[in-house]
Amino acid sequence: MIIPPLILVLATACGDKVGDDTGGGMGNVRTESLGSYTTDTGGLTGAIPLEVPDGTSSVAVHCGEYGYDTLGTAWRIVDPSGGDFYTNEYVEGHTDTPMRVGNHDDTLPILMPVSPDHDIRAGSWSVDVWIATGGRPTTVDCGAVYRVESPGSTATVDLNAVFVGLDSLGLDAASAPDDEDFQAALRYAEGLWSAAGVTIGEVRYFDFPGDVSRYQVIDVSDTDTSELGELFKTEVDGPARALTVFFVEEIASSSGATILGIAAGPPGVPTVAGTSKSGMAVTTVDLRADSREVGLILAHEGAHFMGLFHTTEKNASAFDPLTDTPECPASSDTDGNGLLDREECAGKGAENVMFWAPSVEASTTLTDDQGWVLRRNPVAR
Ligand SMILES: [Ca+2]
Ligand SMILES: [Ca+2]
Ligand SMILES: [Ca+2]
Ligand SMILES: [Zn+2]
């Protein structure tokens, strides 16, 4: 069942970046192929072995591509002691756990750790992946990213800013460095991240190299996010150790919901370009009216990509795995509409950048635990 490792894009993509001293080099981040795996009739890959090097502070595992019409998740993650770091039973049993893995289309991203209650120990790990194929064998290529260094109390994150058909705003790679509103949005995002000790480093500007007319408005539905995934697969000539942000005109949802930004994952696949979980989309609709709105979306989506979840989901169905962020319980839904809005969650997380519906007025804080997760991500340096 285990096919010898394929050294494909992963090694090449990062190999090109080694020795790049402009701030975006891979430094102590290593990427490797874990090989190809075919699911059994139960949809399981079996144990995918993972050798975590000494001194590793964060690990990302990714497996794909299995298409946009099915979902995959982590079934079981075993640490070097032989104990369960994570099992899918935590999800089914709604057990409080310091680890979260979502159900994802096309490519499964797993980031460890996503809470200071877990540390990554060096040694032999294994990850079992489950893909909902209905018994149809599916082959995935898996890879791993290791950050082999200790994060500091502050961190820098570089950005690849990609402009997708924003002529109506007069915004492109050439104009953005001098665009006052765009620069103000970046500063606003950085101001929010500063609570977590994170600053924005080098920003590189790119015009979208693909079909602008298709991607300037991203069309998504509850069952089809393929356009978004294809957007995130688009590679630009920037460093791998950076957040790749696609600035689009609009994200149009078939449900009619207003979506201002979407991050791959969350969390995303860090430092590996070309997967459907390699970027994030930020809408620019509010840029001229209030650049802070765009800055807030960037800060929120970037934090999702780097491993933060909503402090409370909109209907209290889930909370983040962090103990120092407030929870807004279902009982706070005083108007009974099934949504926990900002007023109902005042003092219970609406003040946090990672509230499910953050606002410029209310949502300005990040906690120590959130900073711990952000500074640990492989894209941070
Ligand atoms: Ca479209
Ligand atoms: Ca919490
Ligand atoms: Ca409500
Ligand atoms: Zn969000």
Side-chain angles (χ1 to χ4, degrees), residues 213-215 217-219 227:
S213 64
R214 175 172 159 93
Y215 294 103
V217 174
I218 298 299
D219 298 280
E227 198 167 293

Side-chain angles (χ1 to χ4, degrees), residues 101-276:
V101 181
N103 296 290
H104 298 278
D105 64 4
D106 191 56
T107 295
L108 169 67
I110 301 169
L111 177 68
M112 305 182 288
V114 290
S115 155
D117 295 341
H118 268 330
D119 250 326
I120 296 300
R121 66 172 86 175
S124 301
W125 291 63
S126 72
V127 175
D128 286 45
V129 165
W130 179 74
I131 301 167
T133 54
R136 174 172 45 93
T138 298
T139 300
V140 289
D141 292 328
C142 299
V145 178
Y146 308 102
R147 183 173 176 195
V148 192
E149 65 186 0
S150 295
S153 57
T154 60
T156 300
V157 173
D158 294 340
L159 300 183
N160 295 323
V162 187
F163 302 95
V164 191
L166 303 178
D167 292 349
S168 61
L169 292 173
L171 193 63
D172 61 17
S175 67
D178 299 313
D179 186 291
E180 285 182 22
D181 293 330
F182 186 76
Q183 293 302 318
L186 292 183
R187 283 195 303 276
Y188 190 79
E190 184 171 55
L192 295 175
W193 282 350
S194 69
V198 175
T199 53
I200 294 176
E202 298 243 7
V203 182
R204 294 171 178 83
Y205 301 88
F206 302 93
D207 290 316
F208 184 67
D211 179 357
V212 167
S213 64
R214 175 172 159 93
Y215 294 103
Q216 68 187 154
V217 174
I218 298 299
D219 298 280
V220 297
S221 75
D222 288 345
T223 54
D224 185 1
T225 55
S226 60
E227 198 167 293
L228 189 72
E230 293 301 307
L231 177 78
F232 292 161
K233 283 182 186 176
T234 307
E235 298 189 46
V236 294
D237 191 25
R241 195 175 184 180
L243 290 181
T244 298
V245 186
F246 296 92
F247 291 95
V248 300
E249 201 172 280
E250 189 188 340
I251 298 169
S253 161
S254 62
S255 69
T258 303
I259 302 175
L260 297 175
I262 304 181
V269 175
T271 78
V272 178
T275 84
S276 58

